Amino acid sequence: MSGLEPFGVRLRRAMDERGPLCVGIDPHASLLAEWGLNDDVAGLERFSRTVVEAVADRVAVLKPQSAFFERFGSRGVAVLEKSVAEARAAGALVVMDAKRGDIGSTMAAYAESFLHKDAPLFSDALTVSPYLGYGSLAPAIELARENGAGLFVLALTSNPEGGEVQHAVRPGGRNVGATMLAHLAAENAGEEPLGSFGAVVGATLGDLSTYDLDINGPLLAPGIGAQGATPADLPSVFGAAVRNVVPNVSRGVLRHGPDRVALRDAVERFAEEIRHAVTSS
């Protein structure tokens, strides 16, 4: 065992103490350019260090998108390793947005890359794709449990293309997205104060009252800010499950860089809007 408390326990505490906001670290080329940085490893490192130093001590979660680091090869991955370690040292939980998904030994290897306590990229949680069947996630679920980590499973994503898979109806009448939520509810059964196995559910999807979002686990909600959703939308989208929502904001915060004070101010504004929306619901 890793000695870490379960991810759900640590996440609930962080959300209660710091608020539920998750800030993405998405150093894509256009954003590096907006910051006046070159699209190279030096620019990547400057960007990532600035975000971590500005906000890791005040948000519950930081969510690096691994693809934007991997595109630079081993040197980019080295920057990612350092960013993860520094973010966790500052008290933020790190959700690695890598959306891994495979079967058997390959899924186990993906899990070992991000969920084993001794891995250079060890993160508090990992985003995963269940679309080789929920059972294909078993190696990741097992390793997460052993190491006090968690998963966020793609369930109802905000991209329009997702519906052709997630809204497909299975025998018995339940669609695929709802099936994933049911699996997660079973995974988290009996866990207190919050299970460690969450779902990715887009904040842009509108009324989700036909879905049972009470999975006793966190709901990672992309779409706040640049994608069109606002903190005020959260209660109407997530209903009674809103207390377990981890709203993700990326460009809405990052566009204020590279000024660290402006980044912190943006975080405070979103955090206050989210706090008001959740407590007023």
Side-chain angles (χ1 to χ4, degrees):
M1 300 293 289
S2 70
L4 281 177
E5 293 178 290
F7 172 66
V9 174
R10 295 184 291 120
L11 178 62
R12 178 77 273 162
R13 182 166 57 241
M15 292 169 70
D16 291 345
E17 293 177 354
R18 295 187 172 194
L21 179 64
C22 168
V23 173
I25 307 179
D26 298 354
H28 46 75
S30 62
L31 196 49
L32 292 176
E34 287 180 26
W35 279 37
L37 300 173
N38 292 330
D39 187 23
D40 56 19
V41 173
L44 175 75
E45 186 169 20
R46 174 76 180 276
F47 180 96
S48 301
R49 188 191 321 120
T50 299
V51 176
V52 170
E53 289 178 352
V55 306
D57 64 345
R58 61 196 62 212
V59 298
V61 180
L62 282 175
K63 183 176 69 66
Q65 169 47 259
S66 65
F68 293 121
F69 296 82
E70 292 173 34
R71 69 194 182 98
F72 292 104
S74 60
R75 293 175 65 200
V77 173
V79 173
L80 181 59
E81 291 175 5
K82 186 175 181 181
S83 298
V84 169
E86 292 179 349
R88 298 187 74 236
L93 300 179
V94 172
V95 174
M96 182 62 68
D97 195 357
K99 298 184 179 71
R100 297 302 196 246
D102 214 305
I103 60 172
S105 60
T106 309
M107 187 69 242
Y110 281 140
E112 288 168 7
S113 299
F114 300 103
L115 301 173
H116 192 284
K117 63 182 177 60
D118 297 325
L121 282 168
F122 176 67
S123 303
D124 297 285
L126 172 68
T127 60
V128 291
S129 173
Y131 296 112
L132 288 170
Y134 184 84
S136 68
L137 302 179
I141 292 169
E142 180 179 354
L143 197 63
R145 288 193 187 281
E146 290 176 3
N147 289 276
L151 299 177
F152 282 99
V153 178
L154 302 178
L156 296 167
T157 58
S158 55
N159 63 305
E161 304 88 349
E164 68 183 60
V165 173
Q166 296 156 24
H167 298 166
V169 177
R170 302 179 63 246
R174 176 185 280 168
N175 71 19
V176 172
T179 299
M180 297 307 157
L181 293 171
H183 281 304
L184 290 166
E187 211 73 65
N188 292 320
E191 297 293 333
E192 294 181 357
L194 191 67
S196 297
F197 300 96
V200 178
V201 179
T204 57
L205 297 177
D207 183 4
L208 293 174
S209 59
T210 58
Y211 289 92
D212 185 359
L213 299 176
D214 183 14
I215 63 170
N216 192 34
L219 302 169
L220 182 62
I224 303 289
Q227 293 184 46
T230 70
D233 295 326
L234 294 172
S236 61
V237 175
F238 293 95
V242 72
R243 183 171 178 269
N244 294 333
V245 169
V246 182
N248 178 72
V249 180
S250 295
R251 180 172 286 275
V253 167
L254 300 177
R255 65 184 179 84
H256 294 281
D259 186 299
R260 288 176 173 80
V261 173
L263 287 166
R264 293 187 187 111
D265 288 346
V267 162
E268 291 301 323
R269 284 195 300 273
F270 274 110
E272 179 55 35
E273 290 177 21
I274 290 166
R275 189 178 301 113
H276 178 75
V278 170
T279 57
S280 300
S281 61

